[in-house]
Amino acid sequence: MKIGELARRSGLSTYTIRYYERIGLLPRADRDRSGQRDYDASILTWIEFLDRLKATGMPIREMLRYAALRERGAGTEAERGALLERHRERVRAHVAELEACLLVLDTK
């Protein structure tokens, strides 16, 4: 799929897609005969995952680390899992903090 369609389907702007590709969050797209980016539909799953990481507050440097490990493939599963587990604990702590804030608001 071309970058415009990927932008439409993913909700990202074409600028963001190019930026993510340039910094290494997205793998380099194949190019068609005319030199235009041609993405496989499977990239949508990866973009959705990146959106979840971003929405939960993962810093871009950690997202880049995860993407680099993912690109290396087999043998990086334990390190990827540990990275996600650390992030999960930070998300849990933030959720607990928000719940405490809700409790205060509810009692006002």
Side-chain angles (χ1 to χ4, degrees):
M1 86 184 77
K2 302 299 180 214
I3 194 168
E5 182 181 353
L6 180 58
R8 182 181 57 75
R9 291 178 64 182
S10 69
L12 297 176
S13 69
T14 57
Y15 174 82
T16 300
I17 293 168
R18 287 185 193 102
Y19 172 70
Y20 280 5
E21 190 176 303
R22 187 172 64 251
I23 66 170
L25 277 181
L26 294 179
R28 296 271 179 204
D30 292 331
R31 301 286 180 144
D32 65 13
R33 286 189 203 180
S34 63
Q36 293 182 338
R37 287 171 173 84
D38 192 17
Y39 296 92
D40 186 86
S42 64
I43 196 76
L44 289 166
T45 303
W46 175 240
I47 290 172
E48 182 181 343
F49 181 68
L50 291 174
D51 283 343
R52 300 286 176 156
L53 295 178
K54 183 178 176 186
T56 57
M58 180 179 274
I60 199 159
R61 70 183 170 280
E62 288 185 27
M63 293 169 67
L64 286 167
R65 177 70 182 141
Y66 189 91
L69 290 168
R70 177 181 179 262
E71 186 69 26
R72 285 184 19 214
T76 64
E77 296 87 356
E79 196 172 349
R80 283 185 278 165
L83 194 152
L84 291 178
E85 186 60 35
R86 285 189 304 273
H87 181 64
R88 182 178 185 275
E89 290 308 312
R90 286 192 305 267
V91 170
R92 279 194 170 285
H94 189 225
V95 167
E97 181 181 325
L98 289 174
E99 287 174 343
C101 291
L102 275 174
L103 184 60
V104 169
L105 292 173
D106 289 344
T107 60
K108 287 292 179 183

